[in-house]
Amino acid sequence: GLYEKLLAQVTQNKYEAVNLLHKWFELDTNTRPAVYRLAPIHVHLPSYIDMSPEGSEKRREAEGIWWGQCFEPMQLALRKAAIKLLEAGEVSEQVADMFVRSVTEEEMMKGICEAQQSSASKFWGNEGAAARRSALVIRNLVGIKEGSWEDPAK
């Protein structure tokens, strides 16, 4: 599957997140086909869901660990692996984009595409609401510069 290909790239290129990926992604054999799923954050960082007043400091610490020491390294490793697989012709650009594009960018692109499609309805006199609400968002994503991948570790 795709995760196995990505993990093989991460391992082959000795990206530091390989141990994190082994720790955080679990094979779910209850589905057909079996798939790897990200474990709930609280499985490895129980304080992450502690909403008690006395647990707030530990929760903030767990949030920092998750975002800085877990999520970002795994995201960057999977992004680099997806780009390597794309360059090797093992995955399509659409598959690689799942690891390069942010959820926000995907949502914006969907909204813009829907707006463009609805603008065709102007011919019929029925301009869609999506066309009136289109927006442009510019984001600075870690490791992405001017549409190309750059390793932030370099």
Side-chain angles (χ1 to χ4, degrees):
L2 177 59
Y3 180 77
E4 288 90 352
K5 286 182 182 181
L6 291 164
L7 187 58
Q9 275 297 320
V10 169
T11 304
Q12 177 183 340
N13 289 290
K14 297 180 175 74
Y15 300 143
E16 62 187 61
V18 69
N19 291 332
L20 288 170
L21 293 170
H22 283 292
K23 177 180 178 177
W24 284 91
F25 282 84
E26 303 168 340
L27 183 62
D28 180 356
T29 57
N30 292 320
T31 62
R32 295 290 176 251
V35 296
Y36 281 87
R37 296 191 192 282
L38 182 64
I41 298 169
H42 70 273
V43 167
H44 299 293
L45 298 167
S47 299
Y48 193 86
I49 59 170
D50 184 355
M51 295 300 173
S52 68
E54 56 275 358
S56 66
E57 190 171 321
K58 285 186 177 185
R59 184 180 64 250
R60 278 194 298 276
E61 182 181 319
E63 289 170 351
I65 290 169
W66 165 248
W67 290 108
Q69 297 173 27
C70 300
F71 176 81
E72 187 173 321
M74 288 191 294
Q75 180 188 42
L76 291 174
L78 291 172
R79 185 178 288 158
K80 289 191 277 188
I83 290 168
K84 292 260 186 203
L85 290 172
L86 175 64
E87 290 169 350
E90 294 185 45
V91 297
S92 68
E93 190 170 336
Q94 184 179 11
V95 170
D97 274 353
M98 292 186 323
F99 299 92
V100 175
R101 286 187 177 183
S102 70
V103 172
T104 304
E105 183 181 3
E106 286 295 324
E107 290 172 350
M108 291 302 302
M109 292 305 294
K110 183 178 183 230
I112 290 168
C113 289
E114 286 175 359
Q116 288 174 343
Q117 289 171 355
S118 69
S119 67
S121 66
K122 288 180 189 178
F123 177 79
W124 302 105
N126 182 19
E127 183 177 353
R132 295 187 300 271
R133 292 190 308 258
S134 292
L136 175 64
V137 174
I138 298 173
R139 285 194 58 180
N140 183 14
L141 299 175
V142 174
I144 304 293
K145 304 272 189 223
E146 307 253 343
S148 65
W149 166 252
E150 289 182 13
D151 188 347
K154 290 184 179 178

